[in-house]
Amino acid sequence: MTLKKTYHMKLTPQRLAILEYLEGNKAHPSASDIYKAVSEKYPMMSFATVYNTLDTLRGKKHVRELSIDSQKKRFDPNLKPHHHLICLECRAITDVHRNFALDLTDSERFGYEITGNHVDFYGVCPKCKRGRRSKI
Amino acid sequence: MTLKKTYHMKLTPQRLAILEYLEGNKAHPSASDIYKAVSEKYPMMSFATVYNTLDTLRGKKHVRELSIDSQKKRFDPNLKPHHHLICLECRAITDVHRNFALDLTDSERFGYEITGNHVDFYGVCPKCKRGRRSKI
DNA sequence: TTATTATGTTATAATCATTCTAAATTAGAA
DNA sequence: TTCTAATTTAGAATGATTATAACATAATAA
């Protein structure tokens, strides 16, 4: 009952498997990452179900869709406002939990009504740094 | 000669047309925006040429590829470091020329070597604000 | 329960952005 | 002017995502 109250949607086995995979997942997975993982348990699972479920989860604000990767959408079950630290070599994404109060001047605002901001930090992750060194 | 020295690549009519379209373009166009605009002048122009040209321009650091839009890549000929103000309703993108010196603490850095940052401001542009009002 | 209805799942086809391929063309160097 | 590597082209291929329609299942009411 408690899950049902949390999610306000029918909790089918497929959806539960997807939710379980997403729960606490910090990897910012793509639809195909999710499909691959979940279809090991549920081989009959369809790709369409992954997309449908992500769509309703997004509609109910249980996941956020990221456009960090220009190849594919990635999804984030972490709804707390946060920012990202992105490895330019392997595209790994790490969360940064901090609030940046960034203000724009009137002339920078161009008449927009501003509702939020998101910061991407770019760099090289420790793994890729090690990889580089070993190539020298 | 001067263009050739600037771009360090063969300057075909197709490439010149694409460069002319991009010059000073602040709309952050997608490949198909570019194709549509340029193929009016050069009807024989191929989509592949647009992608090829964007690819070599990116390689030579004459345009930057943006992953702001999860539907398609968008391209920015403005190479000065800058940030974006994005309309959540019509996806218009406006440049913000300011430097934000954002520092992460060691514990926030997770061992990454940080090379830069980019801020997206989200909101509603003046046009869409007007559109809303007229619907009431 | 059982019947009814609404919603979810599935396989498959369709779409759209992007990349690849191989043949024909051309810019720029010699 | 000639030559060659780089570029362009149409079209096929790929990969992510969305749409469709038949089928299955969960929620609801009798």
Side-chain angles (χ1 to χ4, degrees), chain A residues 65 67-68 70 85 94 98 103 108-118 120-124 126 129, chain B residues 65 67-68 70 73 85 94 98 103 108-118 120 122-124 126 129:
Chain A
E65 182 185 307
S67 40
I68 276 170
S70 61
L85 181 49
T94 302
R98 164 113 76 91
D103 274 322
E108 283 170 333
R109 215 188 308 268
F110 287 99
Y112 276 61
E113 176 187 326
I114 298 178
T115 58
N117 67 56
H118 177 92
D120 289 325
F121 292 91
Y122 295 103
V124 186
K129 271 200 281 186
Chain B
E65 182 185 306
S67 39
I68 276 171
S70 63
K73 292 176 184 171
L85 180 49
T94 302
R98 166 113 75 93
D103 273 322
E108 285 170 331
R109 217 188 306 268
F110 287 98
Y112 276 63
E113 176 187 325
I114 297 178
T115 58
N117 67 55
H118 178 90
D120 289 326
Y122 294 104
V124 186
K129 272 201 280 185

Side-chain angles (χ1 to χ4, degrees), chain B residues 91-103:
Chain B
R91 290 276 136 191
I93 302 170
T94 302
D95 290 342
V96 175
H97 282 279
R98 166 113 75 93
N99 182 46
F100 295 99
L102 302 174
D103 273 322

Side-chain angles (χ1 to χ4, degrees), chain B residues 8 14 20 24-25 29-30 51 57 63 65 67 69 76 78 81 87 106-107 115 119 131-132 135-136:
Chain B
H8 300 285
Q14 294 87 336
E20 186 189 356
N25 188 316
S30 65
Y51 279 106
L57 287 174
V63 298
E65 182 185 306
S67 39
D69 192 327
D76 194 343
N78 180 354
C87 176
D106 274 346
S107 72
T115 58
V119 184
R132 278 179 173 180
K135 277 175 205 152
I136 297 172

Side-chain angles (χ1 to χ4, degrees), chain A residues 14-74:
Chain A
Q14 293 88 336
R15 286 177 171 187
L16 286 169
I18 292 170
L19 286 170
E20 186 188 356
Y21 176 74
L22 286 175
E23 171 85 30
N25 187 318
K26 300 220 182 298
H28 309 78
S30 65
S32 65
D33 294 332
I34 297 168
Y35 174 73
K36 266 181 225 142
V38 173
S39 63
E40 291 193 3
K41 271 197 182 173
Y42 291 86
M44 78 298 296
M45 158 86 60
S46 155
F47 233 116
T49 299
V50 174
Y51 279 105
N52 288 340
T53 301
L54 286 169
D55 215 51
T56 72
L57 287 173
R58 176 181 41 209
K60 297 190 183 306
K61 302 272 164 65
H62 292 122
V63 299
R64 206 177 304 166
E65 182 185 307
L66 309 178
S67 40
I68 276 170
D69 191 327
S70 61
Q71 308 296 303
K72 55 182 98 169
K73 293 175 182 171
R74 294 177 68 163

Side-chain angles (χ1 to χ4, degrees), chain B residues 22 25-34 50-51 53-55 57-58 63-67 72-78 84 93:
Chain B
L22 287 175
N25 188 316
K26 302 221 181 297
H28 308 78
S30 65
S32 64
D33 293 333
I34 297 168
V50 174
Y51 279 106
T53 300
L54 286 170
D55 215 51
L57 287 174
R58 176 182 40 210
V63 298
R64 207 176 303 167
E65 182 185 306
L66 308 178
S67 39
K72 54 182 99 171
K73 292 176 184 171
R74 294 178 67 165
F75 296 87
D76 194 343
N78 180 354
H84 289 127
I93 302 170

